[in-house]
Amino acid sequence: MNITIEEIETDLIQYLKSGNPLMAKLNEIPKNDSLVELGYMDSFGIIDLVTYFEKKWKIKIENEEITVEHFGSINKMIKLINQKISIKN
Amino acid sequence: MCGIAGFIVGHQNLEESKVKITRMINSIEHRGPDSTGVLVGKNFSFATARLSIETIKNGDQPVITNKSRFITSFNGEIFNYKNIIKKYSFSHNEINSEVKLLAKLFELKGCKFIDEIEGQFAISIFDNKKKKLYLFRDRFGIRPLFYKKKNDLFIYGSEIKSIAAYNEEVLQTSLNSIASTGLFWSNINDSTSFEDIKQLQPGSYLVYEKNKTEIKRYWNNPLSVKNKENQSRNFIEILKDSLKKQIHGEVGFCSYLSGGVDSSAIAYLLTEIQGSPIDTFSIQFENKEYDESEAQNKIQKIIKSNHSSLKISNIDIVSNFEKVINHCESHLFRTAPVPMFLLAQHVKKSGHKVVFTGEGADEILLGYDIFGETKIRKFWSKFPESKIRPNLLKKLYYYLPQFNNDRYFEITKHFYKQNLQNQEDSFYSHQVRWNQYSTVKNFFNLDNNNFEKVNMKNSFLTSLPKNFKDLDSMEKAQLIEINTLLSGYLLSSQGDRVTMAHGVEGRYPYLDDSLTNELAKISSQKKSPGLKLKNILRKSLEDYLPKEIVNRPKFAYQAPEAKAFFDNKKGLSIVEDFIDGLSKNKKLNKKSFISLISKFKDPNTSSRMGFRENMAFVIGLSDHFLKKCANNWAIKKNSQNKKIKYEYYN
């Protein structure tokens, strides 16, 4: 199974738009800024994302990976997911 | 306990004044169903709707004293009035009610009389010789008082709807109030949820003369006075004194019993003072997430009270939301006033007029989590890289899901680490809570510079004592809580407005003047050493009540929020009506709300809605209903009322 970065990104943005009323109306979602600092999300939002990624991509995110370094922006999250998927394959 | 209203105007004939003051007092008749007195003059009129509690026979208002010079009316209770009569050796025949005492004491001492009065009150005194109106409000803002000034017209009333009734005017809801509710969870300073309507701030008085208004603060919270003692009386003794003082009146009393330590202490001591079981009342929820019935039953068994609980469902919340908004007259950030409204109704039906509550204890005794959070963040800031220090947060917020699971601790911790070092910030304690504003704000059209967080914080700072910056971090946090949530929400939307909706009066022994003075002398460290919140109360109760009650951790009172509107027909029809109104409401961001509502409706996404989304929904919906209520207040109503006793002043 070959999954591209674009696919991960499209899916993530679609997921965010479907569940986040404020992001749903944005034309362009900022990819390098923290969604928390932009006011789109709180800690519940991050928990929701972790749960979603594990289910969707069948990956395991370790406790010590749930940090700002990996969840501080959309691009950081994509990078983490991509790494996990490639290791799996 | 009563409702008062009045006005001063340049020119008006007697008949017109009579119609207007009648409309005003009729609109707040629920506050005083027992008798209504109106004094009609050409350029002024005053009225009181009275709920008889004390001196039932002699308490008619307004009273005219000193050869028709002073006209006095008031809403509230003066707990030390017998002591004052004794102190000044007033004649019992002349001073046979609280309102007459206020008039007499004012004649004697002028505005300084207020320093001697202990209680919960809103007082109006008109000096017809000097053509000066004085309004006074109690120290914590237990009793409400609103006013509006326009050209040569000054109107005031216990509720905003009585001001609207003067000219049958449609009031406009305020965008500033939406922003303030989103950030502070309440209106601040003298603002209200309506344009041009102000509130007299707690601990202040207003003088109106020759079209000019002057406001003076007569009281500063004793917390801001630096003079700490180490020794003090046992807290239970202090609380007992306060209760004895507040068992005042001729109509009996009962108590709320939430299951928490504050109301347990009150109910226990009231039982002891009365020497027989008392009547107690509580809320239970169908939804176990919010329900505290287990804890309530434990304390009930010990004090053997005649306990009655009211079970609240989601349908109850949605069916009564509009009624509650009509009474609260304010933007709300949560639905919690609704169960309190229904509980007061239940109390009234059971035959009671007076109910004791534990409100205020968390602010006075350092009970809220936010005090613990501030302590932990300060401790952590001294060693920000410590792995161990932030773990204390887990102990504090044991009941929140993001702390329950170790997995998420690293990222959750990050939320509390923001601005950790910035202790120079006057609002250090509230930094984390107030971050929610960045999300909530996006649901409303708040692009104006005035609604930037920093500007709103600065405007709030002006209402705090001058030496605020010199206080310790706990005292600062206490004053912030007292000046926002306590006076602006708990005592009004969860207090006066929902109890008086049914002609029931709340008593707040933890906010007693002597108790708060005595407590202010005790250092924060002693009140809550380490993370032992409210330790001074818990410690002193240990000799009387079992440990499981005394040491029960705080369980925040909550009610079902937005989701209550999405699982039943009634709720969904309200939501449809709300959507219909969005196009005409310029304050609400239509796109954001449409999107939010679709997320709540969809079972796949509704569970992903957090605290901030729920809060935005409740604020938005409350604006929708406030507009409806304001329209209703302006509708022409029959201005007859057979119960009214009129007096004319020519």
Side-chain angles (χ1 to χ4, degrees):
Chain A
M1 190 171 63
N2 251 338
I3 296 156
T4 64
I5 289 200
E6 286 72 31
E7 281 174 80
I8 300 171
E9 181 179 322
T10 312
D11 179 77
L12 171 55
I13 288 177
Q14 196 273 327
Y15 182 74
L16 286 171
K17 285 201 167 202
S18 79
N20 190 310
L22 292 173
M23 297 178 82
K25 57 167 192 156
L26 292 182
N27 293 327
E28 204 169 329
I29 291 183
K31 287 178 207 151
N32 287 314
D33 300 307
S34 157
L35 300 180
V36 168
E37 275 158 33
L38 291 171
Y40 293 124
M41 204 173 264
D42 58 13
S43 53
F44 287 100
I46 304 284
I47 295 175
D48 180 60
L49 280 178
V50 173
T51 320
Y52 175 72
F53 292 155
E54 292 193 333
K55 203 171 144 196
K56 168 78 192 177
W57 302 112
K58 301 191 174 53
I59 52 176
K60 168 101 181 74
I61 296 172
E62 302 298 333
N63 291 1
E64 50 279 12
E65 287 168 335
I66 308 173
T67 60
V68 190
E69 286 73 48
H70 297 295
F71 285 82
S73 73
I74 287 187
N75 279 340
K76 284 176 184 169
M77 290 186 252
I78 294 171
K79 197 175 150 203
L80 176 74
I81 298 166
N82 190 43
Q83 272 174 8
K84 294 261 167 192
I85 295 174
S86 18
I87 293 169
K88 211 173 68 175
N89 295 331
Chain B
M1 193 53 53
C2 313
I4 57 173
F7 63 81
I8 295 178
V9 63
H11 296 284
Q12 193 156 268
N13 69 45
L14 213 57
E15 190 48 36
E16 207 176 328
S17 282
K18 182 182 169 182
V19 168
K20 288 185 165 166
I21 192 72
T22 306
R23 275 201 306 249
M24 289 176 77
I25 202 68
N26 278 351
S27 74
I28 53 171
E29 206 187 354
H30 51 271
R31 297 185 68 91
D34 294 332
S35 66
T36 308
V38 172
L39 181 89
V40 187
K42 272 186 194 164
N43 305 102
F44 56 79
S45 293
F46 303 100
T48 311
R50 196 164 165 254
L51 174 71
S52 313
I53 303 275
E54 174 75 33
T55 51
I56 290 173
K57 289 191 196 111
N58 302 318
D60 281 349
Q61 299 188 25
V63 295
I64 306 170
T65 53
N66 198 317
K67 298 183 188 121
S68 303
R69 179 175 169 183
F70 296 109
I71 301 160
T72 308
S73 45
F74 104 113
N75 159 28
E77 301 296 335
I78 308 302
F79 295 127
N80 63 337
Y81 96 111
K82 285 178 183 158
N83 290 344
I84 297 177
I85 289 178
K86 218 188 267 168
K87 179 178 168 188
Y88 290 94
S89 311
F90 290 142
S91 134
H92 278 280
N93 286 338
E94 189 195 353
I95 309 298
N96 58 6
S97 69
E98 286 164 73
V99 65
K100 286 178 192 158
L101 172 77
L102 294 173
K104 182 80 185 171
L105 204 57
F106 180 78
E107 278 174 35
L108 207 65
K109 307 198 69 179
C111 288
K112 286 214 171 310
F113 90 108
I114 202 70
D115 297 329
E116 299 205 23
I117 301 290
E118 285 188 31
Q120 44 193 52
F121 51 77
I123 303 168
S124 155
I125 300 175
F126 182 62
D127 179 345
N128 192 33
K129 191 173 159 195
K130 292 190 176 165
K131 307 289 176 205
K132 254 174 148 173
L133 174 72
Y134 302 87
L135 299 174
F136 301 86
R137 192 162 175 221
D138 66 63
R139 294 166 180 88
F140 283 96
I142 296 174
R143 297 303 153 208
L145 196 56
F146 301 98
Y147 65 94
K148 175 180 175 167
K149 188 192 166 303
K150 197 179 180 187
N151 304 327
D152 63 354
L153 172 67
F154 183 92
I155 329 172
Y156 73 85
S158 295
E159 296 190 13
I160 293 172
K161 54 179 76 68
S162 61
I163 297 175
Y166 178 87
N167 265 339
E168 290 168 333
E169 172 192 12
V170 181
L171 300 175
Q172 303 300 318
T173 60
S174 145
L175 187 59
N176 185 52
S177 161
I178 289 181
S180 183
T181 309
L183 176 59
F184 303 112
W185 297 359
S186 77
N187 278 300
I188 52 157
N189 304 351
D190 63 357
S191 63
T192 70
S193 289
F194 290 94
E195 300 285 353
D196 304 324
I197 306 286
K198 289 185 172 174
Q199 61 160 325
L200 179 58
Q201 283 181 254
S204 303
Y205 68 91
L206 176 154
V207 185
Y208 178 78
E209 185 188 20
K210 292 181 187 143
N211 300 339
K212 283 208 173 70
T213 312
E214 197 185 349
I215 289 157
K216 285 183 182 155
R217 191 174 288 250
Y218 69 86
W219 181 78
N220 270 317
N221 193 303
L223 277 172
S224 60
V225 182
K226 282 270 166 200
N227 188 9
K228 306 292 177 206
E229 289 170 7
N230 277 325
Q231 282 305 313
S232 72
R233 293 193 295 149
N234 183 310
F235 180 69
I236 288 299
E237 296 305 318
I238 303 176
L239 182 59
K240 220 192 264 180
D241 282 352
S242 150
L243 287 165
K244 280 182 187 159
K245 202 191 305 168
Q246 295 200 8
I247 299 176
H248 160 101
E250 300 163 3
V251 295
F253 59 85
C254 63
S255 177
Y256 285 155
L257 194 63
S258 71
V261 63
D262 309 331
S263 62
S264 298
I266 292 177
Y268 172 80
L269 292 173
L270 285 173
T271 309
E272 193 192 283
I273 294 167
Q274 181 171 283
S276 60
I278 61 167
D279 293 352
T280 52
F281 296 88
S282 72
I283 293 167
Q284 300 186 346
F285 286 102
E286 277 187 354
N287 187 330
K288 289 288 160 225
E289 214 180 310
Y290 312 113
D291 189 57
E292 294 180 80
S293 46
E294 210 185 301
Q296 291 162 6
N297 294 339
K298 270 183 198 154
I299 173 78
Q300 186 277 331
K301 277 191 187 123
I302 294 165
I303 62 169
K304 300 188 174 58
S305 62
N306 307 308
H307 187 70
S308 174
S309 59
L310 187 68
K311 197 158 226 170
I312 305 285
S313 68
N314 285 359
I315 303 268
D316 294 326
I317 303 268
V318 303
S319 313
N320 291 284
F321 194 72
E322 181 172 0
K323 272 187 227 162
V324 168
I325 292 286
N326 188 48
H327 282 286
C328 293
E329 302 179 326
S330 173
H331 289 109
L332 297 181
F333 73 109
R334 47 169 76 146
T335 62
V338 183
M340 298 304 291
F341 170 84
L342 294 169
L343 186 62
Q345 186 177 48
H346 187 61
V347 165
K348 181 72 174 188
K349 279 185 190 156
S350 311
H352 280 284
K353 275 184 180 178
V354 171
V355 62
F356 278 85
T357 113
E359 210 67 83
D362 283 316
E363 289 81 357
I364 301 300
L365 301 168
L366 294 172
Y368 285 131
D369 291 335
I370 200 152
F371 301 123
E373 181 186 306
T374 307
K375 285 187 171 199
I376 293 171
R377 291 181 71 230
K378 271 189 71 180
F379 175 65
W380 180 13
S381 75
K382 290 177 192 140
F383 186 17
E385 298 320 311
S386 164
K387 293 269 178 214
I388 297 158
R389 294 188 177 204
N391 280 341
L392 287 166
L393 288 166
K394 290 187 204 170
K395 199 178 156 190
L396 188 68
Y397 291 120
Y398 69 99
Y399 54 90
L400 294 177
Q402 65 268 49
F403 286 93
N404 265 336
N405 190 336
D406 256 357
R407 202 165 147 61
Y408 300 110
F409 187 64
E410 273 306 306
I411 195 96
T412 304
K413 195 172 93 176
H414 174 73
F415 284 83
Y416 292 85
K417 204 176 175 181
Q418 295 175 52
N419 299 314
L420 191 66
Q421 306 284 23
N422 188 8
Q423 289 179 40
E424 290 304 301
D425 182 354
S426 298
F427 303 120
Y428 183 76
S429 57
H430 285 61
Q431 278 173 349
V432 178
R433 178 188 290 178
W434 289 353
N435 278 342
Q436 83 219 329
Y437 182 63
S438 57
T439 308
V440 175
K441 189 174 182 252
N442 289 313
F443 288 91
F444 304 94
N445 295 324
L446 294 170
D447 297 330
N448 187 312
N449 199 26
N450 293 341
F451 306 124
E452 291 302 320
K453 190 151 78 173
V454 53
N455 295 331
M456 291 170 66
K457 278 160 54 173
N458 283 338
S459 142
F460 175 49
L461 200 56
T462 60
S463 73
L464 293 164
K466 285 200 180 73
N467 64 342
F468 182 74
K469 280 188 166 14
D470 307 327
L471 302 177
D472 74 33
S473 60
M474 285 299 104
E475 291 160 342
K476 279 194 192 119
Q478 270 179 293
L479 283 184
I480 297 168
E481 282 296 301
I482 288 169
N483 282 300
T484 55
L485 201 64
L486 181 68
S487 67
Y489 171 78
L490 295 169
L491 293 176
S492 48
S493 295
Q494 273 184 214
D496 174 88
R497 318 310 297 280
V498 288
T499 48
M500 289 310 291
H502 308 288
V504 172
E505 179 192 310
R507 295 275 163 91
Y508 304 85
Y510 290 103
L511 296 177
D512 178 80
D513 293 313
S514 313
L515 183 145
T516 50
N517 276 329
E518 209 153 339
L519 263 281
K521 291 180 198 156
I522 300 170
S523 69
S524 308
Q525 182 55 27
K526 201 171 172 199
K527 279 178 197 141
S528 286
L531 282 183
K532 291 181 175 163
L533 299 175
K534 247 181 326 203
N535 192 53
I536 200 161
L537 169 65
R538 296 185 197 276
K539 198 104 199 106
S540 64
L541 264 182
E542 271 175 359
D543 296 338
Y544 307 91
L545 291 171
K547 279 206 165 157
E548 52 178 338
I549 291 171
V550 172
N551 293 324
R552 180 170 177 245
K554 175 144 189 77
F555 185 95
Y557 163 63
Q558 301 172 80
E561 305 295 348
K563 64 183 173 196
F565 291 85
F566 293 91
D567 71 356
N568 56 78
K569 261 193 192 159
K570 170 80 188 168
L572 287 166
S573 78
I574 288 175
V575 171
E576 283 314 307
D577 189 44
F578 177 45
I579 293 174
D580 285 346
L582 279 173
S583 311
K584 282 177 272 167
N585 195 331
K586 292 199 179 74
K587 298 182 181 77
L588 276 49
N589 188 311
K590 189 177 170 187
K591 269 190 175 173
S592 303
F593 270 100
I594 296 279
S595 171
L596 177 69
I597 287 165
S598 72
K599 312 288 176 231
F600 271 118
K601 276 187 179 166
D602 180 350
N604 294 315
T605 51
S606 65
S607 61
R608 289 170 62 191
M609 298 299 109
F611 177 78
R612 301 169 183 207
E613 283 83 8
N614 274 280
M615 183 168 150
F617 178 80
V618 177
I619 297 176
L621 192 63
S622 63
D623 188 69
H624 172 73
F625 280 124
L626 274 179
K627 286 167 71 117
K628 280 194 161 192
C629 292
N631 283 325
N632 287 336
W633 299 338
I635 291 173
K636 236 183 190 20
K637 292 183 190 76
N638 188 357
S639 62
Q640 302 294 310
N641 186 337
K642 282 181 191 152
K643 268 186 1 199
I644 296 183
K645 276 190 226 157
Y646 287 101
E647 267 192 79
Y648 296 88
Y649 197 107
N650 277 310

